[in-house]
Amino acid sequence: MTFSYFTEKLLRWYPVHRRDLPWRGTKDPYIIWLSEIILQQTRVAQGLPYFRTFVEKFPTVSQLAAAPEEEILRTWQGLGYYSRARNLHACAREIVDKWEGSFPDNYTGLLKLKGVGPYTAAAIASFSYREAVAVVDGNVYRLLSRYFGIYSDIGSTAGKKEFETLANQIIPEKQPDQYNQAIMEFGALQCVPKNPDCGSCPLRVNCFARKNDMVAALPVKQKKVKVRSRYFIYYHIQAGGYTVVNRRGPNDIWQGLVDFPLDECQSMEEIQSPQPENLSLFNELSSFGPVFGLSGEKPLKHLLTHQKIFASFVKVTLRPGQKEALESWAEGKNYSLADEERLEEVGKPKLILRYLNQIK
Ligand code: SF4
């Protein structure tokens, strides 16, 4: 694959469209580093006044290192993510103490600094020392994915690696500094996340996403499955050898399986020390008499794709003579009674099986 069309277009676009920002056009690693740290998780418009104040107050890395942490934090105030400010200070001190006040002059050395990750190290190495190492961030993933038609998930480790490898194949040896600036700016201004103006784009002729109507679909970022925690109190209710069971209905993760009646709670605390006033079944069952016993075991944990279930078990043992009353109560709630044999043969969720094994 030849990349010259892509790189040439970007390098021609950049001088015409680039924003005039104070950290552009310098080779000073201190200024570049400062701007990169300030701009992490921060919009340019918000970061700009902070950058100016930092440069004015601490014109060199040694002055930054010598300042008390309190002053750094005060200057940072309002920018959020205060660990960045602390890392900034720690890194400045490290440079003074271990590197005689000068930044390492290559990517590998820069990566060893506190708070400096691959993106910042690549920015400093290429802008200050013209080392051909690609900056790879969200803007770059998006542009590469759309232009080259790459469907790998940018949220996965393998996907990130693939984009990083490609970005490092593309970066030209001759002008890595200009190219890195150009691709970052192009992603920020032209190939924007939503509704980019493809009609005015210099890459449109060869852009995979534009030609295949895939602009809105690329890059692919699979949503992380959100796991919800749920807290159950299960009631193991027995009378005269019979147990109350509940058959799970349609559209249920346990459809067709049989478990016990339950109260759903909001927290771990509630299932460890049940408060009767908050539990509807607990209240109803109290009418049968004081026959409750918590299993005494730690709540059982059960993992499903989208759910983490914690369950406590309350054993309710009624007198054999109460079986009929229990049966009519159960029927009214759409539960049924199962004798030992039946309970043994019906399909049960693992959680229930684990509990039954525990009390054997
Ligand atoms: S044509 Fe559209 S999708 Fe393709 S690189 Fe240009 S702006 Fe991005």
Side-chain angles (χ1 to χ4, degrees), residues 308-349:
K308 204 188 281 179
I309 294 176
F310 297 92
S312 282
F313 288 80
V314 171
K315 189 137 189 224
V316 184
T317 311
L318 306 185
R319 281 177 282 107
Q322 290 179 294
K323 188 197 148 219
E324 265 178 36
L326 182 65
E327 194 160 22
S328 73
W329 173 81
E331 274 169 13
K333 312 224 43 117
N334 240 355
Y335 304 137
S336 57
L337 261 54
D339 61 15
E340 271 179 32
E341 201 181 321
R342 177 89 188 119
L343 186 62
E344 182 68 35
E345 65 189 27
V346 289
K348 296 171 282 293

mmCIF file of all heavy atoms in Angstrom, residues 308-349:
data_model
loop_
_atom_site.group_PDB
_atom_site.id
_atom_site.type_symbol
_atom_site.label_atom_id
_atom_site.label_comp_id
_atom_site.label_asym_id
_atom_site.label_seq_id
_atom_site.Cartn_x
_atom_site.Cartn_y
_atom_site.Cartn_z
ATOM 1 N N LYS A 308 -24.658 -8.888 37.716
ATOM 2 C CA LYS A 308 -23.946 -9.557 38.795
ATOM 3 C C LYS A 308 -24.994 -9.720 39.888
ATOM 4 O O LYS A 308 -25.531 -8.731 40.376
ATOM 5 C CB LYS A 308 -22.834 -8.642 39.274
ATOM 6 C CG LYS A 308 -21.692 -9.312 39.949
ATOM 7 C CD LYS A 308 -20.760 -8.306 40.548
ATOM 8 C CE LYS A 308 -19.821 -7.678 39.526
ATOM 9 N NZ LYS A 308 -18.932 -6.681 40.154
ATOM 10 N N ILE A 309 -25.320 -10.961 40.200
ATOM 11 C CA ILE A 309 -26.393 -11.172 41.172
ATOM 12 C C ILE A 309 -25.800 -11.611 42.520
ATOM 13 O O ILE A 309 -24.953 -12.509 42.567
ATOM 14 C CB ILE A 309 -27.390 -12.235 40.665
ATOM 15 C CG1 ILE A 309 -28.099 -11.680 39.425
ATOM 16 C CG2 ILE A 309 -28.401 -12.608 41.741
ATOM 17 C CD1 ILE A 309 -29.033 -12.652 38.769
ATOM 18 N N PHE A 310 -26.244 -10.947 43.564
ATOM 19 C CA PHE A 310 -25.883 -11.363 44.920
ATOM 20 C C PHE A 310 -27.161 -11.849 45.589
ATOM 21 O O PHE A 310 -28.181 -11.156 45.527
ATOM 22 C CB PHE A 310 -25.313 -10.189 45.715
ATOM 23 C CG PHE A 310 -24.039 -9.654 45.136
ATOM 24 C CD1 PHE A 310 -24.055 -8.612 44.224
ATOM 25 C CD2 PHE A 310 -22.816 -10.212 45.484
ATOM 26 C CE1 PHE A 310 -22.878 -8.126 43.670
ATOM 27 C CE2 PHE A 310 -21.634 -9.736 44.943
ATOM 28 C CZ PHE A 310 -21.664 -8.691 44.026
ATOM 29 N N ALA A 311 -27.095 -13.006 46.188
ATOM 30 C CA ALA A 311 -28.326 -13.543 46.767
ATOM 31 C C ALA A 311 -28.101 -14.100 48.166
ATOM 32 O O ALA A 311 -27.173 -14.861 48.404
ATOM 33 C CB ALA A 311 -28.885 -14.641 45.868
ATOM 34 N N SER A 312 -28.990 -13.660 49.069
ATOM 35 C CA SER A 312 -29.055 -14.259 50.410
ATOM 36 C C SER A 312 -30.257 -15.185 50.430
ATOM 37 O O SER A 312 -31.215 -14.964 49.673
ATOM 38 C CB SER A 312 -29.292 -13.185 51.466
ATOM 39 O OG SER A 312 -28.120 -12.495 51.734
ATOM 40 N N PHE A 313 -30.227 -16.150 51.296
ATOM 41 C CA PHE A 313 -31.342 -17.097 51.374
ATOM 42 C C PHE A 313 -31.927 -17.094 52.777
ATOM 43 O O PHE A 313 -31.184 -17.156 53.764
ATOM 44 C CB PHE A 313 -30.865 -18.502 51.005
ATOM 45 C CG PHE A 313 -30.582 -18.642 49.527
ATOM 46 C CD1 PHE A 313 -29.393 -18.176 48.995
ATOM 47 C CD2 PHE A 313 -31.518 -19.199 48.680
ATOM 48 C CE1 PHE A 313 -29.133 -18.275 47.635
ATOM 49 C CE2 PHE A 313 -31.270 -19.307 47.321
ATOM 50 C CZ PHE A 313 -30.073 -18.836 46.790
ATOM 51 N N VAL A 314 -33.260 -17.005 52.813
ATOM 52 C CA VAL A 314 -33.949 -17.052 54.100
ATOM 53 C C VAL A 314 -34.759 -18.340 54.117
ATOM 54 O O VAL A 314 -35.529 -18.616 53.184
ATOM 55 C CB VAL A 314 -34.908 -15.843 54.247
ATOM 56 C CG1 VAL A 314 -35.776 -16.010 55.485
ATOM 57 C CG2 VAL A 314 -34.108 -14.552 54.321
ATOM 58 N N LYS A 315 -34.522 -19.110 55.141
ATOM 59 C CA LYS A 315 -35.269 -20.367 55.212
ATOM 60 C C LYS A 315 -36.525 -20.139 56.055
ATOM 61 O O LYS A 315 -36.454 -19.572 57.151
ATOM 62 C CB LYS A 315 -34.374 -21.442 55.840
ATOM 63 C CG LYS A 315 -34.966 -22.791 55.756
ATOM 64 C CD LYS A 315 -33.906 -23.809 55.349
ATOM 65 C CE LYS A 315 -34.590 -25.122 55.056
ATOM 66 N NZ LYS A 315 -33.934 -26.259 55.593
ATOM 67 N N VAL A 316 -37.685 -20.566 55.509
ATOM 68 C CA VAL A 316 -38.950 -20.406 56.209
ATOM 69 C C VAL A 316 -39.535 -21.805 56.376
ATOM 70 O O VAL A 316 -39.973 -22.424 55.399
ATOM 71 C CB VAL A 316 -39.916 -19.530 55.370
ATOM 72 C CG1 VAL A 316 -41.209 -19.283 56.136
ATOM 73 C CG2 VAL A 316 -39.264 -18.217 54.977
ATOM 74 N N THR A 317 -39.493 -22.326 57.595
ATOM 75 C CA THR A 317 -39.993 -23.691 57.815
ATOM 76 C C THR A 317 -41.318 -23.639 58.583
ATOM 77 O O THR A 317 -41.345 -23.204 59.730
ATOM 78 C CB THR A 317 -38.961 -24.520 58.598
ATOM 79 O OG1 THR A 317 -37.698 -24.340 57.959
ATOM 80 C CG2 THR A 317 -39.300 -25.994 58.576
ATOM 81 N N LEU A 318 -42.394 -24.065 57.906
ATOM 82 C CA LEU A 318 -43.714 -24.043 58.538
ATOM 83 C C LEU A 318 -44.047 -25.435 59.092
ATOM 84 O O LEU A 318 -43.434 -26.440 58.711
ATOM 85 C CB LEU A 318 -44.777 -23.635 57.525
ATOM 86 C CG LEU A 318 -44.543 -22.322 56.763
ATOM 87 C CD1 LEU A 318 -45.753 -22.001 55.898
ATOM 88 C CD2 LEU A 318 -44.275 -21.176 57.711
ATOM 89 N N ARG A 319 -45.025 -25.445 59.956
ATOM 90 C CA ARG A 319 -45.465 -26.740 60.490
ATOM 91 C C ARG A 319 -46.170 -27.500 59.371
ATOM 92 O O ARG A 319 -46.794 -26.873 58.485
ATOM 93 C CB ARG A 319 -46.434 -26.523 61.643
ATOM 94 C CG ARG A 319 -45.746 -26.166 62.950
ATOM 95 C CD ARG A 319 -46.725 -25.884 64.060
ATOM 96 N NE ARG A 319 -47.328 -24.564 63.958
ATOM 97 C CZ ARG A 319 -48.570 -24.331 63.590
ATOM 98 N NH1 ARG A 319 -49.382 -25.326 63.262
ATOM 99 N NH2 ARG A 319 -49.050 -23.094 63.534
ATOM 100 N N PRO A 320 -46.121 -28.854 59.347
ATOM 101 C CA PRO A 320 -46.781 -29.616 58.286
ATOM 102 C C PRO A 320 -48.238 -29.219 58.142
ATOM 103 O O PRO A 320 -48.783 -29.172 57.042
ATOM 104 C CB PRO A 320 -46.627 -31.075 58.738
ATOM 105 C CG PRO A 320 -45.440 -31.084 59.638
ATOM 106 C CD PRO A 320 -45.383 -29.758 60.292
ATOM 107 N N GLY A 321 -48.884 -28.887 59.259
ATOM 108 C CA GLY A 321 -50.295 -28.529 59.222
ATOM 109 C C GLY A 321 -50.558 -27.245 58.451
ATOM 110 O O GLY A 321 -51.705 -26.936 58.116
ATOM 111 N N GLN A 322 -49.540 -26.480 58.190
ATOM 112 C CA GLN A 322 -49.725 -25.204 57.482
ATOM 113 C C GLN A 322 -49.587 -25.372 55.962
ATOM 114 O O GLN A 322 -49.652 -24.388 55.234
ATOM 115 C CB GLN A 322 -48.708 -24.170 57.975
ATOM 116 C CG GLN A 322 -48.975 -23.701 59.398
ATOM 117 C CD GLN A 322 -47.935 -22.700 59.868
ATOM 118 O OE1 GLN A 322 -46.771 -23.060 60.007
ATOM 119 N NE2 GLN A 322 -48.348 -21.481 60.106
ATOM 120 N N LYS A 323 -49.405 -26.624 55.538
ATOM 121 C CA LYS A 323 -49.168 -26.856 54.100
ATOM 122 C C LYS A 323 -50.310 -26.323 53.233
ATOM 123 O O LYS A 323 -50.095 -25.668 52.209
ATOM 124 C CB LYS A 323 -48.960 -28.344 53.815
ATOM 125 C CG LYS A 323 -48.528 -28.579 52.386
ATOM 126 C CD LYS A 323 -48.709 -29.999 51.946
ATOM 127 C CE LYS A 323 -49.029 -30.020 50.468
ATOM 128 N NZ LYS A 323 -49.995 -30.980 50.071
ATOM 129 N N GLU A 324 -51.506 -26.568 53.670
ATOM 130 C CA GLU A 324 -52.652 -26.133 52.848
ATOM 131 C C GLU A 324 -52.729 -24.622 52.737
ATOM 132 O O GLU A 324 -52.937 -24.061 51.664
ATOM 133 C CB GLU A 324 -53.947 -26.686 53.414
ATOM 134 C CG GLU A 324 -54.316 -27.969 52.711
ATOM 135 C CD GLU A 324 -55.573 -28.597 53.274
ATOM 136 O OE1 GLU A 324 -56.484 -27.852 53.652
ATOM 137 O OE2 GLU A 324 -55.585 -29.837 53.346
ATOM 138 N N ALA A 325 -52.538 -23.966 53.866
ATOM 139 C CA ALA A 325 -52.559 -22.494 53.865
ATOM 140 C C ALA A 325 -51.444 -21.970 52.957
ATOM 141 O O ALA A 325 -51.634 -21.018 52.192
ATOM 142 C CB ALA A 325 -52.388 -21.970 55.277
ATOM 143 N N LEU A 326 -50.319 -22.648 53.041
ATOM 144 C CA LEU A 326 -49.175 -22.223 52.209
ATOM 145 C C LEU A 326 -49.505 -22.406 50.735
ATOM 146 O O LEU A 326 -49.213 -21.545 49.899
ATOM 147 C CB LEU A 326 -47.938 -23.050 52.582
ATOM 148 C CG LEU A 326 -46.653 -22.692 51.827
ATOM 149 C CD1 LEU A 326 -46.193 -21.285 52.170
ATOM 150 C CD2 LEU A 326 -45.527 -23.681 52.155
ATOM 151 N N GLU A 327 -50.148 -23.522 50.426
ATOM 152 C CA GLU A 327 -50.486 -23.826 49.041
ATOM 153 C C GLU A 327 -51.425 -22.753 48.467
ATOM 154 O O GLU A 327 -51.205 -22.263 47.354
ATOM 155 C CB GLU A 327 -51.147 -25.197 48.955
ATOM 156 C CG GLU A 327 -51.212 -25.693 47.529
ATOM 157 C CD GLU A 327 -51.405 -27.215 47.483
ATOM 158 O OE1 GLU A 327 -51.887 -27.787 48.467
ATOM 159 O OE2 GLU A 327 -51.064 -27.803 46.456
ATOM 160 N N SER A 328 -52.422 -22.375 49.253
ATOM 161 C CA SER A 328 -53.353 -21.386 48.683
ATOM 162 C C SER A 328 -52.672 -20.023 48.573
ATOM 163 O O SER A 328 -52.896 -19.276 47.627
ATOM 164 C CB SER A 328 -54.665 -21.328 49.459
ATOM 165 O OG SER A 328 -54.473 -20.694 50.678
ATOM 166 N N TRP A 329 -51.778 -19.720 49.534
ATOM 167 C CA TRP A 329 -51.005 -18.468 49.411
ATOM 168 C C TRP A 329 -50.154 -18.505 48.120
ATOM 169 O O TRP A 329 -50.126 -17.561 47.342
ATOM 170 C CB TRP A 329 -50.112 -18.283 50.644
ATOM 171 C CG TRP A 329 -49.168 -17.119 50.529
ATOM 172 C CD1 TRP A 329 -49.447 -15.808 50.756
ATOM 173 C CD2 TRP A 329 -47.788 -17.159 50.112
ATOM 174 N NE1 TRP A 329 -48.348 -15.025 50.525
ATOM 175 C CE2 TRP A 329 -47.310 -15.837 50.121
ATOM 176 C CE3 TRP A 329 -46.919 -18.189 49.730
ATOM 177 C CZ2 TRP A 329 -46.002 -15.505 49.778
ATOM 178 C CZ3 TRP A 329 -45.611 -17.856 49.394
ATOM 179 C CH2 TRP A 329 -45.165 -16.520 49.413
ATOM 180 N N ALA A 330 -49.489 -19.668 47.903
ATOM 181 C CA ALA A 330 -48.589 -19.811 46.743
ATOM 182 C C ALA A 330 -49.363 -19.679 45.430
ATOM 183 O O ALA A 330 -48.930 -18.976 44.508
ATOM 184 C CB ALA A 330 -47.870 -21.157 46.807
ATOM 185 N N GLU A 331 -50.510 -20.321 45.379
ATOM 186 C CA GLU A 331 -51.300 -20.259 44.139
ATOM 187 C C GLU A 331 -51.698 -18.828 43.830
ATOM 188 O O GLU A 331 -51.654 -18.370 42.683
ATOM 189 C CB GLU A 331 -52.533 -21.136 44.256
ATOM 190 C CG GLU A 331 -52.214 -22.569 43.879
ATOM 191 C CD GLU A 331 -53.349 -23.527 44.226
ATOM 192 O OE1 GLU A 331 -54.451 -23.053 44.527
ATOM 193 O OE2 GLU A 331 -53.102 -24.746 44.202
ATOM 194 N N GLY A 332 -52.080 -18.106 44.877
ATOM 195 C CA GLY A 332 -52.469 -16.701 44.696
ATOM 196 C C GLY A 332 -51.334 -15.863 44.132
ATOM 197 O O GLY A 332 -51.551 -14.787 43.581
ATOM 198 N N LYS A 333 -50.113 -16.314 44.282
ATOM 199 C CA LYS A 333 -48.969 -15.532 43.802
ATOM 200 C C LYS A 333 -48.351 -16.151 42.560
ATOM 201 O O LYS A 333 -47.257 -15.765 42.151
ATOM 202 C CB LYS A 333 -47.911 -15.429 44.902
ATOM 203 C CG LYS A 333 -48.471 -15.036 46.220
ATOM 204 C CD LYS A 333 -47.726 -14.010 47.005
ATOM 205 C CE LYS A 333 -47.190 -12.828 46.342
ATOM 206 N NZ LYS A 333 -47.727 -11.555 46.761
ATOM 207 N N ASN A 334 -49.033 -17.140 42.025
ATOM 208 C CA ASN A 334 -48.520 -17.815 40.830
ATOM 209 C C ASN A 334 -47.301 -18.688 41.088
ATOM 210 O O ASN A 334 -46.497 -18.930 40.194
ATOM 211 C CB ASN A 334 -48.181 -16.798 39.742
ATOM 212 C CG ASN A 334 -49.008 -17.072 38.509
ATOM 213 O OD1 ASN A 334 -49.744 -18.065 38.461
ATOM 214 N ND2 ASN A 334 -48.900 -16.209 37.510
ATOM 215 N N TYR A 335 -47.097 -19.076 42.328
ATOM 216 C CA TYR A 335 -46.050 -20.036 42.656
ATOM 217 C C TYR A 335 -46.705 -21.404 42.732
ATOM 218 O O TYR A 335 -47.933 -21.526 42.640
ATOM 219 C CB TYR A 335 -45.412 -19.734 44.018
ATOM 220 C CG TYR A 335 -44.844 -18.344 44.176
ATOM 221 C CD1 TYR A 335 -45.045 -17.618 45.351
ATOM 222 C CD2 TYR A 335 -44.084 -17.763 43.161
ATOM 223 C CE1 TYR A 335 -44.520 -16.351 45.506
ATOM 224 C CE2 TYR A 335 -43.560 -16.486 43.316
ATOM 225 C CZ TYR A 335 -43.783 -15.783 44.496
ATOM 226 O OH TYR A 335 -43.277 -14.539 44.645
ATOM 227 N N SER A 336 -45.900 -22.434 42.933
ATOM 228 C CA SER A 336 -46.493 -23.749 43.157
ATOM 229 C C SER A 336 -45.672 -24.499 44.208
ATOM 230 O O SER A 336 -44.589 -24.035 44.597
ATOM 231 C CB SER A 336 -46.536 -24.542 41.846
ATOM 232 O OG SER A 336 -45.242 -24.658 41.315
ATOM 233 N N LEU A 337 -46.187 -25.628 44.623
ATOM 234 C CA LEU A 337 -45.455 -26.421 45.617
ATOM 235 C C LEU A 337 -44.843 -27.642 44.934
ATOM 236 O O LEU A 337 -45.484 -28.265 44.087
ATOM 237 C CB LEU A 337 -46.421 -26.892 46.724
ATOM 238 C CG LEU A 337 -46.415 -26.065 48.032
ATOM 239 C CD1 LEU A 337 -46.652 -24.607 47.774
ATOM 240 C CD2 LEU A 337 -47.420 -26.626 49.015
ATOM 241 N N ALA A 338 -43.619 -27.941 45.293
ATOM 242 C CA ALA A 338 -42.958 -29.109 44.701
ATOM 243 C C ALA A 338 -42.454 -29.994 45.820
ATOM 244 O O ALA A 338 -41.879 -29.490 46.797
ATOM 245 C CB ALA A 338 -41.787 -28.658 43.832
ATOM 246 N N ASP A 339 -42.695 -31.328 45.676
ATOM 247 C CA ASP A 339 -42.136 -32.202 46.702
ATOM 248 C C ASP A 339 -40.655 -32.423 46.385
ATOM 249 O O ASP A 339 -40.142 -31.931 45.377
ATOM 250 C CB ASP A 339 -42.915 -33.524 46.786
ATOM 251 C CG ASP A 339 -42.866 -34.299 45.482
ATOM 252 O OD1 ASP A 339 -42.024 -33.978 44.616
ATOM 253 O OD2 ASP A 339 -43.698 -35.217 45.316
ATOM 254 N N GLU A 340 -39.971 -33.169 47.232
ATOM 255 C CA GLU A 340 -38.520 -33.294 47.089
ATOM 256 C C GLU A 340 -38.097 -33.833 45.732
ATOM 257 O O GLU A 340 -37.166 -33.347 45.101
ATOM 258 C CB GLU A 340 -37.968 -34.195 48.188
ATOM 259 C CG GLU A 340 -37.629 -33.380 49.410
ATOM 260 C CD GLU A 340 -37.090 -34.243 50.531
ATOM 261 O OE1 GLU A 340 -36.438 -35.254 50.232
ATOM 262 O OE2 GLU A 340 -37.350 -33.894 51.687
ATOM 263 N N GLU A 341 -38.854 -34.851 45.288
ATOM 264 C CA GLU A 341 -38.511 -35.482 44.001
ATOM 265 C C GLU A 341 -38.651 -34.484 42.850
ATOM 266 O O GLU A 341 -37.795 -34.355 41.987
ATOM 267 C CB GLU A 341 -39.449 -36.664 43.787
ATOM 268 C CG GLU A 341 -38.900 -37.680 42.805
ATOM 269 C CD GLU A 341 -39.918 -38.810 42.629
ATOM 270 O OE1 GLU A 341 -40.552 -39.217 43.627
ATOM 271 O OE2 GLU A 341 -40.072 -39.225 41.480
ATOM 272 N N ARG A 342 -39.769 -33.767 42.887
ATOM 273 C CA ARG A 342 -40.049 -32.787 41.834
ATOM 274 C C ARG A 342 -38.982 -31.677 41.842
ATOM 275 O O ARG A 342 -38.471 -31.263 40.808
ATOM 276 C CB ARG A 342 -41.456 -32.202 42.076
ATOM 277 C CG ARG A 342 -41.869 -31.132 41.118
ATOM 278 C CD ARG A 342 -42.553 -31.710 39.876
ATOM 279 N NE ARG A 342 -42.762 -30.649 38.897
ATOM 280 C CZ ARG A 342 -42.239 -30.638 37.694
ATOM 281 N NH1 ARG A 342 -41.510 -31.643 37.270
ATOM 282 N NH2 ARG A 342 -42.477 -29.658 36.874
ATOM 283 N N LEU A 343 -38.662 -31.234 43.054
ATOM 284 C CA LEU A 343 -37.650 -30.177 43.186
ATOM 285 C C LEU A 343 -36.312 -30.647 42.614
ATOM 286 O O LEU A 343 -35.576 -29.889 41.984
ATOM 287 C CB LEU A 343 -37.491 -29.787 44.662
ATOM 288 C CG LEU A 343 -36.566 -28.593 44.943
ATOM 289 C CD1 LEU A 343 -37.090 -27.316 44.290
ATOM 290 C CD2 LEU A 343 -36.404 -28.367 46.440
ATOM 291 N N GLU A 344 -36.037 -31.918 42.817
ATOM 292 C CA GLU A 344 -34.789 -32.502 42.332
ATOM 293 C C GLU A 344 -34.750 -32.498 40.792
ATOM 294 O O GLU A 344 -33.735 -32.179 40.183
ATOM 295 C CB GLU A 344 -34.699 -33.949 42.868
ATOM 296 C CG GLU A 344 -33.451 -34.700 42.501
ATOM 297 C CD GLU A 344 -32.200 -34.137 43.162
ATOM 298 O OE1 GLU A 344 -32.296 -33.675 44.318
ATOM 299 O OE2 GLU A 344 -31.146 -34.140 42.484
ATOM 300 N N GLU A 345 -35.908 -32.817 40.181
ATOM 301 C CA GLU A 345 -35.871 -33.028 38.710
ATOM 302 C C GLU A 345 -36.045 -31.749 37.886
ATOM 303 O O GLU A 345 -35.642 -31.711 36.736
ATOM 304 C CB GLU A 345 -36.900 -34.091 38.284
ATOM 305 C CG GLU A 345 -38.322 -33.679 38.530
ATOM 306 C CD GLU A 345 -39.311 -34.831 38.315
ATOM 307 O OE1 GLU A 345 -38.933 -35.990 38.471
ATOM 308 O OE2 GLU A 345 -40.468 -34.529 37.993
ATOM 309 N N VAL A 346 -36.645 -30.694 38.448
ATOM 310 C CA VAL A 346 -36.854 -29.491 37.618
ATOM 311 C C VAL A 346 -35.530 -28.762 37.383
ATOM 312 O O VAL A 346 -34.606 -28.859 38.190
ATOM 313 C CB VAL A 346 -37.861 -28.485 38.254
ATOM 314 C CG1 VAL A 346 -39.272 -29.013 38.201
ATOM 315 C CG2 VAL A 346 -37.444 -28.122 39.668
ATOM 316 N N GLY A 347 -35.459 -28.039 36.247
ATOM 317 C CA GLY A 347 -34.261 -27.260 35.925
ATOM 318 C C GLY A 347 -34.184 -26.046 36.829
ATOM 319 O O GLY A 347 -35.175 -25.340 37.005
ATOM 320 N N LYS A 348 -33.016 -25.828 37.407
ATOM 321 C CA LYS A 348 -32.865 -24.702 38.335
ATOM 322 C C LYS A 348 -31.645 -23.877 37.934
ATOM 323 O O LYS A 348 -30.658 -24.429 37.441
ATOM 324 C CB LYS A 348 -32.659 -25.226 39.771
ATOM 325 C CG LYS A 348 -33.853 -25.981 40.315
ATOM 326 C CD LYS A 348 -33.556 -26.674 41.623
ATOM 327 C CE LYS A 348 -32.783 -27.965 41.494
ATOM 328 N NZ LYS A 348 -33.443 -29.084 40.841
ATOM 329 N N PRO A 349 -31.686 -22.569 38.166
ATOM 330 C CA PRO A 349 -30.475 -21.765 37.912
ATOM 331 C C PRO A 349 -29.343 -22.250 38.818
ATOM 332 O O PRO A 349 -29.607 -22.757 39.912
ATOM 333 C CB PRO A 349 -30.890 -20.340 38.293
ATOM 334 C CG PRO A 349 -32.373 -20.342 38.359
ATOM 335 C CD PRO A 349 -32.793 -21.748 38.680
#
